[in-house]
Amino acid sequence: MIERLKESFGGVLGFKVVGKLTAEDIKAFEPQIEIVIAQRKHKPIGILADLSQMHGADWGARWEEMRFLQKHTDHIARMAVVGADKWEEIVAIVTAGAAILEAETRYFDSSEILHAWEWIRTAKHAEDVPVRQISPGTGIWKDYHPEWMDIGT
């Protein structure tokens, strides 16, 4: 289940995943993100994803996550991932999505959630919190040039 966090405001949307994530969860939550994007008139938004109570995801959820991020990559400027596990393990959870997402993506321990909110709202990082960058904000597809485009040249 995905719950919208009450601290969400303006161009910042926070949500918490509880239990095992399913494709239906993502499909049900997607309209909330699309409303925020529309309200911002397609200006980039920040997303805080609290995964501290997430217990895995099914393959359908992974597919929906990839589809969603591909569709909205131009509208997401920053993404803060909050989790209770070791951050290296969380990286494995979000790496596939972050590869498509061109936004800067950082991990915060669950005890650092207030710092995550601050960073997602202001792009400022508290000096006493370690920077755990998952994606630098360029996306792996930035310099991709399909081979088939060179055929016949």
Side-chain angles (χ1 to χ4, degrees), residues 2 5 17 22-23 34 39 92 96-97 104 107 122 124 151:
I2 302 175
L5 297 174
V17 179
T22 67
E34 289 175 339
Q39 288 173 340
E104 183 175 2
Y107 170 81
T122 66
K124 295 179 183 174
I151 296 175

Side-chain angles (χ1 to χ4, degrees), residues 19 36 49 79 84 90 98 111 127 147 151:
V36 172
M79 185 167 176
I90 295 292
S111 66
E127 291 182 22
E147 299 80 6
I151 296 175

Side-chain angles (χ1 to χ4, degrees), residues 63-135:
W63 182 258
E64 283 302 311
E65 175 191 19
M66 297 285 285
R67 181 199 57 77
F68 171 81
L69 291 174
Q70 183 180 24
K71 179 179 177 183
H72 297 293
T73 190
D74 293 340
H75 306 296
I76 302 171
R78 284 183 299 284
M79 185 167 176
V81 178
V82 178
D85 297 326
K86 289 191 274 182
W87 81 278
E88 296 90 345
E89 294 171 7
I90 295 292
V91 169
I93 294 171
V94 297
T95 296
I100 290 176
L101 188 64
E102 293 182 10
E104 183 175 2
T105 306
R106 292 189 180 177
Y107 170 81
F108 295 83
D109 186 75
S110 58
S111 66
E112 302 165 340
I113 194 163
L114 294 177
H115 295 292
W117 279 111
E118 178 70 15
W119 178 75
I120 207 69
R121 287 186 180 116
T122 66
K124 295 179 183 174
H125 202 92
E127 291 182 22
D128 60 333
V129 177
V131 175
R132 301 177 199 96
Q133 193 165 342
I134 295 174
S135 174

